[in-house]
Amino acid sequence: MPEGDRPHAESVVEEAPETAPGEAPAQAPAEAPAEAPAEAPAEAPGGDEPHEEPVEPATTPATPAEPPRDRGRLLRRTTEAGVVLVLVATALVHVLDLGDRTGLAAPDPALEPQAVAPPPGLELPEAPAARPVAAALRGAELDRDAIGRAVSRLAANKKLGRDVAVVVAGTDGVPVYRSGPAVMMPASTLKLLTSLAALEVVGPQHRFATTVVRSGRTLTLVGGGDPLLERAPEPGLYPDRADLRTLARRTARALRSTAPAGRLRLTYDASLFTGPAVNPHWEPDYVPTNVVSPISALWVDEGRDTGGYGARVADPPAEAGRVFRDELRRAGLRVGPARSGTAPQGAGEVARVESAPLVEIVQHVLEASDNEGAEVLARHVALAQGGDASFAGGAAAVRAVLGGLGVRLNRLTTYDGSGLSRDDRINPVTLVDVLAHAVDPDHPELEGVASGLPVAGFSGSLLMRFDDRADAGLGRVRAKTGTLRGVHGLAGVAVGRDGAVMLFAALTDRVKEPNVLFTRAQLDRIASALAACACLA
């Protein structure tokens, strides 16, 4: 028996008798209650006499004492309970700051060194001012000549075509370097304008709702212009997507106790947007060749037939209605075929799903160069301005919002929100001015444009770029790409090796087919030259 578990003096203890070879060990005598008279045990064969005298019997009867084993168990449980109480008390003091609240805790030297009093009699001198650990920037002004030396030779390469425009400015948007034509085809760099206008008038935290309303036996699926609405949940996507399967399940739960017996009628309402679904200023083969979908306030997977980058469907609202009907049936409701219609006045909302915040959708549109998403955002700008949610209405509303912000719009002509139209024209200075508003600390609501730009070599449409003599721009350039047949552009922000922050736009719109890959790489080199430049004046 371990030392700490031996019985106290009340118990009789015998030494174990020696065991002769071939004999079984003698059993130890059973322990008797401490108060009972102890008798001398019988002598075991070959054993010795016990070495202690028997304990005298008690003179008065007493209640039998707790056996030592039970008393030990009680002691252990009491000790364990005490330890638990101490741990709980310590946790409460830590989590609830009870020590600080009651004044019992001493200041933590690691967290509050200023609160720790010096020892008595110790006098400390005043601390001297800390010396700077790095030289201060010489100012925010950019050196025009240094920028010219960095980019002019690259921009002059004849493989870029006849029209090459480069503009570089500081964060105030005022150009310090400029070369090439004043009017260019923007391609997808136009999405910068659409995104900035949407953040300004719709708001970065706005969410687009897709709803189901009911009037009598009729359910209506109402499109709210969610550009990223999907068929079914896809966990892990960024930004989060609302989906019709979740909406159908919520609808079924809401109607379980109130739905009338029999089959329900189903309609879908895509009337939020107006005008043609296909832009007359687009190339006629854009939709048939899956460049872009017909634009609608109600669709799933941006008008693709199976999600991802599948073929576009001819009628996106009808496809959304069919998908929703199937999901309602799967959820246990009896519904008829989905038909086009408008929600009746006074119909009550049954269920809804909501998109991610607009600022996250803007990031997606800029990173993926999402044409459908940009066209939907332009229509929301028109709605916020009280205009028609059409191609023409969206383009006009974007221009109006940017003009109200003070963006220079001279020579700007736009027919859409995505830049797919070859009739769009822009002054590269406008792109730089839009970027200046996006990095302006006085307009934090617009910063989603700058933070949503693809990062050179790391994300979005720049993921596989900046790998051919352009590695100086890796991680130091964020920019929006622009590509149409014969048109290539890059507009964004570059941080020089001396910390200079430069806004730039580089556009070409007369590139011959054999020079497409070279042009793309050369634009990367122009941006990388800015990142490698010590361009502060």
Side-chain angles (χ1 to χ4, degrees):
M1 180 180 297
E3 186 72 20
D5 287 344
R6 288 189 178 177
H8 296 288
E10 292 86 356
S11 299
V12 177
V13 178
E14 282 192 325
E15 293 181 355
E18 294 181 0
T19 304
E23 290 183 331
Q27 287 186 337
E31 295 177 339
E35 291 77 14
E39 297 181 2
E43 180 180 344
D48 297 326
E49 290 285 332
H51 72 284
E52 293 187 23
E53 294 294 334
V55 177
E56 292 295 327
T59 56
T60 56
T63 304
E66 193 178 39
R69 181 179 301 172
D70 292 342
R71 192 162 52 244
R73 185 182 299 116
L74 178 61
L75 179 61
R76 285 196 300 273
R77 288 180 178 175
T78 303
T79 303
E80 290 170 357
V83 171
V84 170
L85 287 174
V86 170
L87 291 175
V88 170
T90 303
L92 288 173
V93 168
H94 174 72
V95 174
L96 302 178
D97 291 332
L98 294 180
D100 289 342
R101 296 180 186 181
T102 58
L104 298 177
D108 186 339
L111 300 178
E112 301 178 275
Q114 76 282 359
V116 179
L122 178 63
E123 295 183 1
L124 299 176
E126 291 291 331
R131 291 180 297 177
V133 296
L137 292 177
R138 291 164 291 175
E141 291 187 7
L142 299 177
D143 186 336
R144 182 187 187 282
D145 293 337
I147 293 173
R149 288 191 297 271
V151 304
S152 59
R153 183 180 57 83
L154 295 169
N157 192 297
K158 295 186 181 301
K159 289 184 178 181
L160 296 178
R162 189 173 64 193
D163 291 347
V164 182
V166 177
V167 175
V168 181
T171 56
D172 59 1
V174 178
V176 296
Y177 175 87
R178 181 172 179 176
S179 66
V183 179
M184 301 289 289
M185 202 181 302
S188 283
T189 62
L190 189 69
K191 293 180 175 74
L192 293 170
L193 281 66
T194 304
S195 298
L196 193 82
L199 290 173
E200 170 66 11
V201 297
V202 180
Q205 298 306 313
H206 182 82
R207 297 173 184 263
F208 304 114
T210 305
T211 60
V212 176
V213 298
R214 174 188 166 195
S215 179
R217 303 179 60 82
T218 301
L219 297 178
T220 304
L221 173 66
V222 182
D226 178 356
L228 301 183
L229 183 68
E230 296 202 341
R231 286 172 164 76
E234 287 195 57
L237 286 182
Y238 181 87
D240 289 337
R241 268 68 158 174
D243 68 275
L244 291 185
R245 177 171 297 169
T246 299
L247 183 59
R249 290 173 176 173
R250 291 178 181 177
T251 300
R253 283 198 299 268
L255 293 178
R256 228 163 245 152
S257 59
T258 61
R263 194 168 72 167
L264 296 169
R265 290 185 291 270
L266 177 63
T267 60
Y268 57 87
D269 182 350
S271 63
L272 183 65
F273 296 167
T274 59
V278 178
N279 196 316
H281 289 271
W282 288 347
E283 298 296 289
D285 64 346
Y286 278 178
V287 172
T289 58
N290 297 317
V291 172
V292 67
S293 299
I295 305 304
S296 172
L298 176 64
W299 58 22
V300 287
D301 300 315
E302 294 191 321
R304 295 175 175 89
D305 59 358
T306 56
Y309 290 91
R312 268 65 174 184
V313 299
D315 190 345
E319 174 71 2
R322 183 194 64 76
V323 170
F324 190 59
R325 176 207 64 194
D326 292 347
E327 293 296 341
L328 286 175
R329 290 175 177 175
R330 186 177 286 113
L333 292 180
R334 295 179 58 197
V335 293
R339 305 184 187 280
S340 178
T342 56
Q345 289 289 333
E349 182 174 307
V350 175
R352 66 165 47 206
V353 289
E354 294 185 344
S355 72
L358 173 61
V359 66
E360 297 181 13
I361 296 175
V362 162
Q363 179 178 350
H364 162 80
V365 166
L366 295 176
E367 282 195 339
S369 201
D370 186 338
N371 294 313
E372 289 89 354
E375 295 300 343
V376 169
L377 294 187
R379 282 163 167 72
H380 281 297
V381 174
L383 290 170
Q385 292 289 94
D388 293 333
S390 62
F391 285 109
V398 168
R399 293 194 301 269
V401 171
L402 296 180
L405 285 170
V407 176
R408 286 164 283 186
L409 303 178
N410 53 308
R411 320 272 306 256
L412 177 67
T413 303
T414 57
Y415 294 94
D416 58 12
S418 62
L420 281 175
S421 173
R422 299 185 68 85
D423 297 328
D424 293 333
R425 294 292 184 272
I426 197 168
N427 186 332
V429 171
T430 298
L431 291 171
V432 168
D433 211 2
V434 165
L435 291 166
H437 282 76
V439 300
D440 186 349
D442 292 335
H443 291 279
E445 72 279 4
L446 304 179
E447 68 182 9
V449 170
S451 63
L453 291 171
V455 179
F458 289 93
S459 64
S461 58
L462 294 184
L463 178 63
M464 306 301 292
R465 302 272 294 259
F466 288 76
D467 58 355
D468 184 6
R469 289 180 291 149
D471 57 349
L474 293 173
R476 302 180 69 87
V477 172
R478 304 184 74 122
K480 179 70 195 79
T481 54
T483 306
L484 289 173
R485 188 179 66 254
V487 181
H488 299 270
L490 203 59
V493 184
V495 179
R497 61 186 175 91
D498 58 358
V501 179
M502 292 164 280
L503 312 178
F504 72 91
L507 303 175
T508 66
D509 62 7
R510 291 177 180 265
V511 179
K512 294 180 180 179
E513 192 66 29
N515 298 327
V516 166
L517 294 180
F518 171 85
T519 298
R520 187 179 71 173
Q522 192 75 346
L523 292 177
D524 295 350
R525 294 181 196 115
I526 290 173
S528 290
L530 294 175
C533 176
C535 290
L536 285 174

